[in-house]
Amino acid sequence: MRCGRRETIAAFGNPDLKTPEHLARFPLAAAAFLSLGVAVSSAFGQSAADESPAKHPHATLSLVSASQSWHPGTPLLLAFNLDIEEGWHTYWRGISDTGQPPVFNLTLPEGFVAQPAVWPAPHREISTFVDALDHIYEHHLTVVVPVQTPAPGTPGAAAKSVHFKASGVWLVCKNACVPEKGEASLDLPQGAGEDASTHATRITSTLAQAGRPWSEAPSGASINHTSAADAATCTITVPGASWLAFYPDQHCLPMPSLFSEGEAKGPALRLTLAPKDDPEATRVTGLLEVRGLGDKPQFFTVDELVISGAPSKAAPPPESHK
């Protein structure tokens, strides 16, 4: 009997919590943030007795499927589902000032291959006291994992029933932050026909927020940027939009004023960039939410190269050959 393959679907960012650049300018705000950071860091070690995950979990993990059976050669949609207690929240896969995203692991049967995970769009939560911004989920989080099943006649395709295992660790916060973990499993028989599960709606909702390529944005949409050594701007314009919001990925160029600039009424969103804060970051990457172009929000992925205005090293003159 072969062991299943374990795949890490999402990972925590840098575990060393640092003061965001925009908070460092305000000593009292920075102190408040750092005190929160101590609460977060200590939570990953030993949590307070009355907030112990073992005694009273604030989020529960389940592994679900969009269908009630699987079919050889037909893609399968699985999902990590976190049901979150009222008043608590967890964090999305991108940048937040005070929290980090969950880590999920999936163990697959022989012949099954996981594709990149799809996260739903978060919503912005701002702490006005310290101008801190988090991108969070409340009530539930459903992260979808498309899985390619083994083709007919290949190893694993003859299994009448398959077993999937999931595990995860996550941070949930309310007045304080608590680390939690959980495990879940799912058995699916081999079958055929239409067999949507009760979880299909949440999975479909996540897929609708995955973000289409920017090349599919409405006619006239544009991304323009100005560059400088110390600061730059990126302006995203979507004609006809009534509201825009940008959710940055982990490796996005630093945005020191994202708490005030990350959403805007109207068709244009102007973001201040700080290339000097992370010289290795050169791109604006993330998810753009657009409202006002129809009954439902639209989502687009952004991945734009921004060149710093710092002077580049001149290329050496070509060698002369005499």
Side-chain angles (χ1 to χ4, degrees):
M1 179 177 180
R2 297 185 183 182
C3 294
R5 296 184 300 107
R6 187 180 186 188
E7 301 199 15
T8 300
I9 303 302
F12 280 115
N14 188 345
D16 299 322
L17 193 63
K18 298 179 180 179
T19 306
E21 180 70 17
H22 64 270
L23 301 187
R25 299 194 301 268
F26 305 98
L28 291 178
F33 178 86
L34 289 175
S35 68
L36 175 59
V38 171
V40 173
S41 300
S42 63
F44 278 98
Q46 182 178 1
S47 57
D50 60 346
E51 298 292 355
S52 170
K55 290 185 178 181
H56 181 61
H58 302 291
T60 304
L61 175 67
S62 58
L63 180 62
V64 300
S65 170
S67 58
Q68 298 180 45
S69 63
W70 73 280
H71 321 286
T74 301
L76 181 66
L77 294 175
L78 302 182
F80 302 102
N81 189 76
L82 272 184
D83 285 308
I84 305 168
E85 183 180 336
E86 181 70 29
W88 292 76
H89 63 262
T90 193
Y91 299 88
W92 104 297
R93 60 176 173 80
I95 293 175
S96 289
D97 281 340
T98 68
Q100 297 190 28
V103 175
F104 297 117
N105 293 297
L106 179 63
T107 302
L108 298 168
E110 181 183 20
F112 289 72
V113 179
Q115 304 301 316
V118 179
W119 290 63
H123 72 263
R124 291 159 45 91
E125 180 181 75
I126 294 178
S127 172
T128 56
F129 175 65
V130 293
D131 286 339
L133 169 66
D134 289 314
H135 297 97
I136 68 170
Y137 302 102
E138 298 174 300
H139 308 300
H140 70 267
L141 165 63
T142 301
V143 177
V144 178
V145 184
V147 174
Q148 182 58 54
T149 62
T154 62
K160 299 301 180 183
S161 179
V162 289
H163 182 71
F164 302 93
K165 292 177 62 178
S167 62
V169 293
W170 54 86
L171 194 67
V172 284
C173 298
K174 189 178 181 181
N175 298 322
C177 292
V178 181
E180 296 186 351
K181 61 182 179 179
E183 296 181 346
S185 62
L186 176 68
D187 291 292
L188 287 179
Q190 186 175 147
E194 297 293 331
D195 55 0
S197 75
T198 57
H199 306 285
T201 299
R202 281 191 183 180
I203 290 175
T204 300
S205 177
T206 290
L207 294 177
Q209 300 173 49
R212 289 180 286 159
W214 181 249
S215 59
E216 298 180 13
S219 176
S222 63
I223 300 177
N224 298 294
H225 59 83
T226 62
S227 299
D230 294 332
T233 63
C234 178
T235 302
I236 305 174
T237 304
V238 181
S242 62
W243 182 86
L244 303 176
F246 182 71
Y247 313 120
D249 287 333
Q250 284 282 358
H251 302 293
C252 182
L253 265 166
M255 298 179 175
S257 300
L258 190 66
F259 60 92
S260 60
E261 298 178 344
E263 64 177 341
K265 293 181 179 179
L269 183 70
R270 182 180 181 275
L271 302 166
T272 300
L273 311 177
K276 67 180 180 62
D277 291 347
D278 185 355
E280 295 183 1
T282 59
R283 310 188 75 87
V284 172
T285 61
L287 183 67
L288 179 73
E289 181 175 354
V290 181
R291 299 181 187 176
L293 300 182
D295 296 336
K296 298 180 180 179
Q298 297 186 32
F299 300 88
F300 300 94
T301 56
V302 173
D303 187 358
E304 179 78 1
L305 177 65
V306 177
I307 304 297
S308 171
S312 58
K313 295 182 179 179
E319 294 183 5
S320 59
H321 298 280
K322 296 182 179 179

